[in-house]
Amino acid sequence: MQRKPWGEVLDRTSFSKPSSLQEAASRIRKNAGYFKINYLIIILLTVAATFVTHPSSLLVLGFLAASWVYVFAIRQGPLVISGKELRCARSQLFSPAASATAVDSASITSSRWH
């Protein structure tokens, strides 16, 4: 695996509206696999910036990192949340949303403590 050129990641001309939900899910899967290293770099830079600007959010972000490791590296079967089974594509959609919520919560918590 290697990092793809940033110009390719940010190329707005390659975007088009998918014709169906299945095509959208397929594109997301392909995109996530193809740009995996680029997305990892973005996540790591975001986490580093958060640590610098809100040191008290380290606990929340540590929990978030542990969750990602569990979901994508340790877990053997399908992801089950509240009794519902999430397959690979859905967990890939769920993880960024959960991450954004955790980061937002961390920044709110950090600003309350200052």
Side-chain angles (χ1 to χ4, degrees):
M1 273 190 224
Q2 58 183 332
R3 181 184 63 83
K4 305 300 180 198
W6 289 106
E8 190 176 345
V9 176
L10 304 172
D11 182 17
R12 293 182 62 162
T13 62
S14 64
F15 289 100
S16 64
K17 185 176 179 181
S19 60
S20 67
L21 186 57
Q22 289 81 10
E23 183 185 353
S26 174
R27 285 187 191 184
I28 290 170
R29 258 184 259 114
K30 287 178 186 176
N31 187 290
Y34 187 74
F35 293 115
K36 188 180 290 188
I37 299 299
N38 297 78
Y39 292 146
L40 180 62
I41 291 169
I42 291 169
I43 291 168
L44 290 175
L45 289 174
T46 303
V47 169
T50 302
F51 286 158
V52 170
T53 57
H54 303 288
S56 61
S57 62
L58 181 61
L59 182 63
V60 173
L61 294 174
F63 175 75
L64 176 64
S67 300
W68 274 73
V69 167
Y70 173 75
V71 168
F72 291 109
I74 297 173
R75 176 180 53 89
Q76 295 295 317
L79 182 62
V80 178
I81 297 178
S82 298
K84 295 188 180 196
E85 184 177 304
L86 298 179
R87 300 230 181 260
C88 184
R90 287 188 180 170
S91 68
Q92 289 175 349
L93 290 172
F94 173 76
S95 297
S99 298
T101 302
V103 169
D104 186 52
S105 297
S107 65
I108 291 171
T109 302
S110 179
S111 65
R112 286 183 185 164
W113 288 354
H114 290 328

